[in-house]
């Protein structure tokens, strides 16, 4: 109920802002700063904290913090030597036809014996009991053949299971990125409840504008274009080149902070130079957002 009330309050505030006279809107907007401050962040959906599926010793670590990695690259390998040996045994069993060949040969022999006894029985030279025993031996031989075939099918399934188990013992990168942290070494016993390595992707970057005035947020929508550059505090460093980079609004919080009258807005910007996340930037908003006279809503007012 409280969230609904707050949401209604935000809508009321935006409606009131759109309805206010141009002069009043301009006076209110002039109290805010454009470009507006923001902070770069890695894409949250592309932060991988990889944990092992099972406890066990680490056999190989191929990266260190700060390393660039490619999707699918091996990062950490648990000691899988015993599992690999088991896999080879399972593959031998799954690829062998010996059991089926033996069962089929036995089945063929029993059928041949039954055929001879059926002929003998017709000549009244064999008892009904002996014929019945031969028939039961054929049924038994056929069942054993089916069991052998089932055993091979199961062995093939066991091979696939073992391959998956071994694959899970190898931690690979889920996407292109950088190693943010590494919490294991060769010989250590892994803990399935704790991440061994964290990979982050910083191209593109997200830019969080944490104090976007609702006056402006009400005029922004997902997909709007903005421009971003790094803050003047980085002047004289490789970070600062004074260039504006095109970016796009990808998120706007549906709930404003009633105390500060602000909303969280997130934009996505390219990061071709692979600069670190967490740096201060400024975001230049369109004139239609900060200038009432330039906005479609203002021109549509009576």
């Amino acid at each position: 109920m409280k969230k609904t009330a707050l949401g209604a309050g935000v809508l009321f505030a935006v409606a009131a802002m759109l309805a206010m006279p141009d002069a009043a809107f301009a006076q209110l907007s002039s109290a805010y700063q454009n470009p507006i401050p923001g902070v770069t962040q890695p894409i949250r959906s592309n932060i991988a904290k990889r944990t092992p599926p099972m406890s066990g010793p680490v056999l190989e670590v191929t990266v260190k913090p700060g390393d660039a990695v490619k999707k699918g690259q091996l990062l950490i390998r648990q000691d899988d030597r015993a599992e690999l040996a088991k896999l080879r045994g399972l593959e031998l069993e799954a690829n062998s036809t010996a059991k089926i060949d033996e069962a089929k040969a036995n089945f063929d022999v029993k059928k041949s014996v039954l055929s001879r006894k059926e002929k003998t029985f017709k000549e009244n030279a064999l008892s009904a009991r002996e014929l019945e025993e031969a028939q039961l031996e054929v049924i038994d031989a056929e069942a054993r053949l089916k069991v052998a075939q089932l055993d091979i099918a199961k062995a093939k399934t066991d091979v696939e299971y073992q391959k998956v188990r071994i694959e899970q013992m190898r931690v690979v990168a889920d996407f292109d990125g950088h190693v943010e942290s590494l919490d294991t070494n060769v010989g250590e016993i892994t803990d399935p409840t704790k991440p061994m390595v964290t990979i982050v992707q910083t191209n593109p970057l997200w830019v969080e504008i944490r104090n976007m005035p609702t006056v402006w947020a009400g005029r922004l929508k997902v997909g709007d274009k903005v421009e971003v550059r790094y803050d003047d505090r980085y002047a004289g460093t490789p970070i600062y080149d004074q260039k504006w980079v095109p970016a796009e609004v990808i998120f706007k919080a549906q709930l404003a902070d009633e105390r500060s009258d602000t909303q969280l807005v997130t934009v996505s910007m390219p990061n071709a130079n692979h600069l670190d996340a967490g740096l201060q930037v400024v975001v230049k908003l369109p004139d239609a957002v900060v200038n009432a006279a330039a906005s479609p809503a203002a021109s549509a007012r009576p």
Side-chain angles (χ1 to χ4, degrees):
M1 180 63 74
K2 182 178 179 181
K3 183 176 179 181
T4 303
L6 288 174
V10 172
L11 294 175
F12 177 79
V14 173
M17 176 268 291
L18 294 175
M20 68 174 60
D22 290 349
F25 181 85
Q27 182 178 3
L28 183 59
S29 294
S30 65
Y32 301 118
Q33 176 184 358
N34 183 40
I36 190 170
V39 180
T40 61
Q41 300 287 346
I43 302 175
R44 288 199 183 94
S45 61
N46 280 4
I47 299 178
K49 295 184 178 182
R50 296 302 307 276
T51 58
M54 65 200 81
S55 179
V58 173
L59 183 65
E60 183 180 9
V61 177
T62 67
V63 294
K64 62 183 182 301
D67 282 356
V69 297
K70 293 292 185 180
K71 181 178 181 180
Q73 178 179 333
L74 176 66
L75 309 176
I76 299 168
R77 179 163 70 102
Q78 290 181 287
D79 191 345
D80 56 0
R81 290 173 294 183
E83 300 297 332
L84 286 170
K86 182 178 180 180
L87 174 62
R88 289 191 291 270
L90 291 172
E91 286 177 332
L92 286 174
E93 185 177 352
N95 296 327
S96 172
T97 61
K99 288 185 178 180
I100 292 180
D101 291 344
E102 179 187 20
K104 188 174 186 305
N106 180 59
F107 179 52
D108 290 341
V109 168
K110 298 298 183 183
K111 286 197 299 182
S112 178
V113 170
L114 175 61
S115 178
R116 290 198 304 270
K117 287 188 175 183
E118 285 176 335
K119 183 177 180 181
T120 304
F121 178 76
K122 290 179 181 179
E123 295 172 350
N124 294 321
L126 187 73
S127 68
R129 181 178 178 180
E130 290 176 304
L131 177 62
E132 183 180 357
E133 288 177 349
Q135 291 171 334
L136 290 175
E137 287 181 352
V138 169
I139 293 174
D140 179 72
E142 184 179 19
R144 291 179 182 276
L145 175 59
K146 291 180 179 179
V147 169
Q149 293 169 335
L150 181 61
D151 286 343
I152 294 299
K154 182 180 179 300
K156 293 181 183 297
T157 301
D158 290 341
V159 166
E160 295 305 313
Y161 171 83
Q162 188 67 8
K163 287 180 178 179
V164 171
R165 182 178 175 86
I166 292 172
E167 183 180 352
Q168 289 176 335
M169 298 176 72
R170 301 178 179 188
V171 176
V172 301
D174 295 321
F175 45 78
D176 294 352
H178 288 79
V179 179
E180 178 69 12
S181 63
L182 181 67
D183 191 23
T184 192
N185 289 297
V186 173
E188 289 186 355
I189 303 298
T190 58
D191 183 347
T193 65
K194 296 180 179 179
M196 294 187 296
V197 61
T198 301
I199 307 296
V200 299
Q201 185 182 66
T202 57
N203 186 26
L205 282 170
W206 280 358
V207 176
E208 288 187 350
I209 307 169
R210 300 167 181 168
N211 60 341
M212 173 75 72
T214 55
V215 172
W216 292 351
R219 293 180 178 272
L220 275 175
K221 62 182 183 297
V222 172
D224 280 352
K225 306 300 181 182
V226 297
E227 291 182 293
V228 181
R229 72 168 173 79
Y230 286 90
D231 191 82
D232 291 339
R233 72 185 68 189
Y234 303 118
T237 72
I239 297 172
Y240 189 75
D241 58 8
Q242 295 183 299
K243 292 181 180 179
W244 289 97
V245 177
E248 180 179 331
V249 176
I250 60 171
F251 172 78
K252 184 175 72 171
Q254 297 298 304
L255 184 64
D257 186 326
E258 59 183 354
R259 293 172 296 180
S260 62
D261 196 30
T262 59
Q263 287 174 255
L264 170 66
V265 174
T266 304
V267 305
S268 176
M269 65 174 286
N271 184 25
N273 294 328
H274 298 285
L275 296 177
D276 296 338
L279 300 178
Q280 303 293 321
V281 296
V282 289
V283 182
K284 185 191 295 183
L285 303 175
D287 288 341
V289 172
V290 301
N291 186 352
S295 69
S299 60
R301 295 189 189 118

